[in-house]
Structure formats: structure tokens, C-alpha cells
Amino acid sequence: MSANEGLQVVWFKRDLRLEDHAPLAAAANGKPTLLLYVFEPELMNDPHYSERHWRFVTQSLLEMNGRLEPLNQRVYILKGSMLEVLDAIHAHNPISNLLSHEETGLRVTYERDKAISTWCRQHRVNWQEYQSNGVKRGRYSRDGWAHDWHRVMSQPLAEPEWAQLLPAEDQQRCLSDYVMESALLKAWSTRDPSHQLGGVGAAQHALESFFDERGKIYHKALSKPLLSRKHCSRLSPYLAWGNLSIRQVYQRLQAERGRSGWGRALSALNSRLHWHCHFIQKFESEDRIEFEPMNFGYHQFQDDHSLANEQAWATGNTGIPYLDACLRCLQNTGYLHFRGRAMIVSALCHLMQGRWQFAARQLAQWFLDFEPGIHYAQIQMQVGLTGINTLRIYNPVKQGLDHDPDAVFIKKWVPELSELPVPLVHTPWELGPIERACMDMNYPDPVIDIAQAHKAARALYWDRRQNPLVRQDINRVLYRHVETRTHLKTQHSNKGELR
């Protein structure tokens, strides 16, 4: 069977939108096309994911189907192995073309994609994968990457010609064994008011409200636990799950250039759009960092870890108020401001003897905007496993005093301390035993001595940074992940300041 015959299948993954969608645009060629999303047990049971992710995905898919209904199209929402689903479709209506975006995912999705590739070759199906945002597959160095990124971002949006997207015949019969449970879809379609709503409509509302008013002080709000909830873009889950493409946001941003009073905010957002793809490109180039340090020199170090401290951190009961407030906020809402994310990783891995792998998996479950490429590249950078980035060891008390001086955020998420005055609410262990008894606080003592823990972490990580094997691998890391023009700016200074 030639590629000009048979059924086309558009496979949605982390691209849950109908605009700027290259696979959809390519499929709009007058040939029968099946639109498909599969809830895969391998992913649903993976420790990186939780119900909040699948709820967001469901809301996105149902909204897409609402928009597709007048076009006599829909996304088939299935559950099962992608290989088995393809087998079922192919047996009923032979597939000629499978179209999808490239996915920079976890090892589990990489292994699945290799199996799909083998299946396509065996069944003579043409699998056409399209570049996702600014991430380029097959790169072995970063030279020219930024230029390519800007070129891709400036290209016209890939918009489907809907009149040419011909619906496939009803596939319900052959896919009856894989239909997603309606009760589960109904449950997940219901909005959890503590989390952002999935879907292009919600994404567009966040985008427009940012440029209407919210974003003018974006650059000032990045480090603030309360201000960030209103004045940061709040686009991260919509980008992570593909309700918006990076290019859509980039071009919307460019349209606002020159706007009075918005210069620094727009510059900060532009940088973060670039960083979004920059970090995913790292994971695309070296997906082994899901399991091991980026810099090979760090493989020699084996650390003891504290299960008790990991448990205290995971439950938001470390006895350090600002740290616990950030952890509880993230657990309950799926969102935490930029600096807060860095701080909670530093607190566990630098100060509390926690494993970076433990932090990575737990945080993935909590972050509504979990994106594997950004996630693991950021974790490695923050913990100090690259050998090239400045080591930042955060002091949670100082962060609270700097960014929540009146303890409004702390008292919201750690109500056990709501009666304590400022500044004691930041350091309740400074209360005397009589005062503590009178207050009857149901709040634990800190699991660490912050000053001692910082001193030990600073000595340990700086010593490791100077290790010959770590330094030996720096040039390889730079070549793979940093453009040549920045190689001379290797950061060998900074011994890990207390932030």
C-alpha cells in the first residue's frame, strides 16, 4: 500500500491544540484522517505523573472535541497500549501515514517511540514526526542553536485547512476495547478550583489577560510567592501540555514590542520562552540525565541520604515555615513561583541530605506544568551536577524574610503559626519553652540546623566542583549544551553563597 492510500492518523501527545499544529496542517490534504489521543498505562502508572495531569489533559481534549464537532471531526480518546491501538485500527482500516510531533520525554516514552517506529517499518506505515517548538532532534553541539530558534519562532503558524481535513469513517467498532471509561472522563472534566483549567480557551485567557494588565510587573513578581500568582504569565501548564505553542506566545509578545512601560517585563518573558526550549534541548541531547548526573565526574560520588528528612520535606513538615509554605502551596495548587522552585530543591538536596532523584519524581507529580526536559535539566543545574552552572544554596529563612516579610504567604499555608507575630513566625524555634507551651503550636521543630547544614553543603559541593574528573568533563558539557561564544564564560567562581 502506498502512502497515498489508506488512513491517516494524527497522534496527539503533548500538543493538545488545533492551531499552529504541523501534523494537523499536513493531514489536511483531502484524505481520510483519524485524530487520536491514547491514555497509556505505562505513563499513567509512571511515578512522575498524578491525577492532576490527566485531569488537565482530559479538559483539553474535551474542549478540542467541542470545537471539532461542527467540522464533523473529533479526537478519539482511548486507553491502552499505543501499539495495540495501532494494531486494532490497522486491521480494520489500513494506516498509510502516522503524523505526530516529536516528543522529548521520559525514558518510558522513548522506548515506546522506538517500538512504534519498528511497528511502522514492519507495517509499511510512514511515520512523519514534526519538530516540536524550538527543539531540534539530532544536534551534537549548540553552535547556531539560538539562530535556528529565532528562525523557527518567526515562521508563519502552521494552520490546518479545515475544509481539507476529511473525517475517517467511524472507528468505534474496532476500538471498543480501548475506549476511555466515561465515568473517569466525566470526573476529570470537572474543574478542581485549586488548579488551573486545561484547554486552549483557558490558555488564551491567561495569555490575553497577561498582556492586558497582569504582566506589566512580571519581572518583579518572579520571586514573590503572592505577586507571582497574579502577575506571572501562568502559561507554563499550557505550554507543557501544548494548549499553546511557544511560537504562538513568542509572536504575540513581538506584537507588544515598544509598548510603554513594558520593556523589562517583555524582555523577561522573551528570555523564558528561549530558556524553555534551551532546557528541553539539553534533555533531547542527553536523556540519561533522568537517571544520572550530566557531568560524568559526579558519578564517582555516593552520598548517604536521610529518609526521615525526605519524608518531612514531602509532607511539608520540615519545621522551617517558609519552606513548608512553599511545599504545601505546590502540593495543593500545582504551582509555585520560580525562585521558590529552586529553593525547595536546594533545601532538600543541599541542606537536608535528600536525593535529587527523589526530589525529581516527587516534584514531577506536584508540578501541573511538569515537562520532562525542563524538569530534569533544571534539577541537575540547581543541585549542581553540571559542573558549569553557579552553585546556589538557598537559605529558606532568608528567602522568607526577603520575599514574604509580613508572613502573609506563610500564615496562609502554615496556619499552625497564624497567631505568631512577625518576625518570629519565620523562626518559631526561637520561642522559649514557656512561650511554646502557651501557644500550644502543633508544628514540628526544624529537621536541620540551617547554618550548620549550609556550611557543610558549601564545603562539600565546592570541593566536588574542583574535583579533577568533574573539571575534565566541563568542555564536553559546554560543547553539547552551550553555544561556542559563551564557552569562555565558564563559571569557575562563586563558592555557593547563602541566599
Side-chain angles (χ1 to χ4, degrees), residues 158-405:
E159 301 290 17
E161 292 286 343
W162 292 107
Q164 295 299 312
L165 193 70
L166 184 66
E169 65 177 71
D170 194 348
Q171 303 289 314
Q172 201 69 39
R173 212 167 128 194
C174 72
L175 294 174
S176 58
D177 291 341
Y178 303 100
V179 175
M180 186 66 173
E181 302 98 307
S182 59
L184 198 52
L185 288 178
K186 182 177 180 181
W188 286 349
S189 68
T190 304
R191 181 175 186 177
D192 180 343
S194 63
H195 293 91
Q196 288 177 263
L197 179 68
V200 172
Q204 289 289 351
H205 180 266
L207 181 66
E208 295 306 320
S209 66
F210 178 82
F211 287 114
D212 283 347
E213 175 192 7
R214 292 190 303 107
K216 192 171 185 178
I217 62 169
Y218 170 68
H219 56 295
K220 297 179 180 180
L222 285 167
S223 298
K224 308 299 181 183
L226 294 174
L227 278 180
S228 64
R229 300 191 73 82
K230 178 179 180 182
H231 296 288
C232 283
S233 75
R234 306 305 302 274
L235 295 176
S236 56
Y238 303 116
L239 294 172
W241 294 101
N243 294 154
L244 293 171
S245 69
I246 293 289
R247 182 161 53 197
Q248 285 176 293
V249 180
Y250 175 84
Q251 294 188 8
R252 180 70 176 81
L253 185 154
Q254 298 308 310
E256 298 291 335
R257 290 292 193 186
R259 189 173 174 184
S260 178
W262 279 70
R264 291 185 65 188
L266 296 179
S267 178
L269 180 60
N270 187 77
S271 294
R272 277 156 182 80
L273 294 177
H274 186 273
W275 291 350
H276 180 281
C277 298
H278 165 72
F279 281 108
I280 298 176
Q281 187 69 57
K282 290 186 178 186
F283 198 60
E284 174 66 35
S285 300
E286 287 195 274
D287 70 327
R288 63 178 180 83
I289 65 174
E290 180 184 345
F291 306 100
E292 60 188 50
M294 176 182 289
N295 186 304
F296 287 116
Y298 286 97
H299 290 200
Q300 64 187 298
F301 304 119
Q302 300 296 324
D303 294 320
D304 295 330
H305 60 274
S306 170
L307 291 175
N309 285 355
E310 288 179 348
Q311 180 64 19
W313 180 90
T315 58
N317 284 290
T318 68
I320 304 169
Y322 187 65
L323 174 58
D324 287 340
C326 287
L327 289 165
R328 296 181 190 184
C329 174
L330 176 58
Q331 291 165 17
N332 282 277
T333 69
Y335 174 80
L336 188 63
H337 59 293
F338 181 74
R339 186 178 291 261
R341 297 183 183 213
M343 183 204 68
I344 61 178
V345 172
S346 174
L348 178 65
C349 299
H350 294 149
L351 306 182
M352 297 171 61
Q353 295 183 294
R355 295 163 292 170
W356 68 267
Q357 298 94 333
F358 175 85
R361 290 184 177 89
Q362 184 61 78
L363 290 173
Q365 291 183 20
W366 292 340
F367 288 144
L368 183 60
D369 58 10
F370 168 58
E371 213 299 336
I374 296 175
H375 189 71
Y376 274 99
Q378 286 272 6
I379 290 279
Q380 296 252 348
M381 181 182 72
Q382 180 53 53
V383 176
L385 301 176
T386 68
I388 65 171
N389 298 107
T390 299
L391 177 64
R392 292 182 170 90
I393 301 177
Y394 288 88
N395 178 345
V397 175
K398 182 178 184 301
Q399 290 298 306
L401 290 168
D402 287 349
H403 302 297
D404 186 32

